[in-house]
């Protein structure tokens, strides 16, 4: 399938409703994983099921990918077949651009998996979806996410304040952009 991506250590695939338990207990229900993001940790499997329905890939009758508001993949370790996170592209209305987003289980932090996955997702965005520019951002205190964006070649644009999805809380953030041209999303100068 065109939307399956294989990297050196990972298989990236669309998530399905069958992934609800793994996602909920692995990362969507973990408050520590959600600490620096604008979404709320899921309070039940039901929350995760609703999220999975929202991010479902849309296709026409021939199986071709239709234009979506997001393109999210599950991150699976080749070695063990373990699903441990997700990430991809989410439409940002304010910028009229897709923004990168990613979350993985704490047990898999600091191993370069997110950078590896997102590098090939950005290549897919440029080559298969024709996306020319993407946004990225992180809470100022989220140094790990800053490293991911920098390794991917994102360029810092400005400091900002990001509203939490609950509409009540806000956090200081840093905003970045990356111009995509075919072949630029995978830059050998940026190591994992």
């Amino acid at each position: 399938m065109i939307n399956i991506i294989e990297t050196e250590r990972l298989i990236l695939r669309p998530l399905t409703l069958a992934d609800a338990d793994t996602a909920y207990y692995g990362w969507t229900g973990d408050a520590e994983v959600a600490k620096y993001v604008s979404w709320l940790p899921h309070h039940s499997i039901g929350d995760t099921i609703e999220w999975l329905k929202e991010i479902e890939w849309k296709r026409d009758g021939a199986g071709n990918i239709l234009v979506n508001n997001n393109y999210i993949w599950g991150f699976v370790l080749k070695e063990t077949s373990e699903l441990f996170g997700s990430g991809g592209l989410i439409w940002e209305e304010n910028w009229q651009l897709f923004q990168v987003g990613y979350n993985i289980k704490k047990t898999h932090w600091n191993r370069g998996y997110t950078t590896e996955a997102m590098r090939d997702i950005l290549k897919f965005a440029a080559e298969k979806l024709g996306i020319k520019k993407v946004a990225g951002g992180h809470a100022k205190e989220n140094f790990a996410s800053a490293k991911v964006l920098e390794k991917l070649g994102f360029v810092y644009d400005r400091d900002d304040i990001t509203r939490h999805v609950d509409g009540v809380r806000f956090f200081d953030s840093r905003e970045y952009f990356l111009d995509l041209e075919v072949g630029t999303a995978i830059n050998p100068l940026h190591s994992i």
Side-chain angles (χ1 to χ4, degrees):
M1 296 178 88
I2 193 170
N3 53 342
I4 302 290
I5 301 172
E6 190 171 332
T7 73
E8 182 181 341
R9 300 178 293 171
L10 307 173
I11 295 172
L12 312 177
R13 62 162 176 82
L15 293 164
T16 69
L17 292 179
D19 297 317
D21 279 353
T22 302
Y24 176 71
Y25 291 107
W27 68 94
T28 65
D30 188 327
E32 193 172 348
V33 171
K35 181 177 180 180
Y36 294 122
V37 297
S38 61
W39 54 270
L40 295 169
H42 295 175
H43 297 294
S44 69
I45 294 286
D47 290 346
T48 300
I49 289 170
E50 288 306 310
W51 170 69
L52 290 168
K53 288 177 183 177
E54 287 174 21
I55 65 165
E56 184 176 27
W57 288 66
K58 296 168 187 65
R59 301 180 173 283
D60 65 17
N64 299 309
I65 298 169
L66 296 174
V67 174
N68 291 305
N69 287 336
N70 59 66
Y71 301 91
I72 304 295
W73 286 262
F75 300 171
V76 178
L77 279 174
K78 280 185 185 178
E79 188 176 349
T80 63
S81 298
E82 176 191 10
L83 173 65
F84 67 93
S86 60
L89 306 163
I90 303 103
W91 182 250
E92 176 56 54
E93 192 65 35
N94 292 337
W95 294 333
Q96 292 293 297
L97 291 173
F98 281 97
Q99 179 175 1
V100 295
Y102 37 80
N103 295 105
I104 65 173
K105 289 171 62 172
K106 291 182 295 210
T107 54
H108 292 66
W109 288 357
N110 299 311
R111 296 184 186 181
Y113 295 137
T114 302
T115 304
E116 181 176 335
M118 294 308 298
R119 182 173 287 132
D120 278 25
I121 287 170
L122 290 170
K123 180 179 179 186
F124 180 95
E127 294 177 354
K128 305 294 186 198
L129 301 174
I131 295 172
K132 305 269 189 257
K133 185 174 185 174
V134 291
H138 64 84
K140 282 189 177 179
E141 297 84 17
N142 189 348
F143 302 113
S145 195
K147 285 196 297 189
V148 169
L149 293 175
E150 289 164 7
K151 287 178 182 179
L152 292 169
F154 279 77
V155 176
Y156 169 78
D157 184 64
R158 69 185 181 285
D159 285 357
D160 206 350
I161 297 174
T162 300
R163 187 175 75 167
H164 200 276
V165 74
D166 65 10
V168 176
R169 293 174 285 160
F170 297 83
F171 58 88
D172 291 331
S173 60
R174 293 178 56 86
E175 306 301 332
Y176 299 74
F177 293 97
L178 177 65
D179 287 319
L180 294 178
E181 293 179 25
V182 175
T184 60
I186 297 181
N187 185 339
L189 298 176
H190 298 288
S191 61
I192 292 177

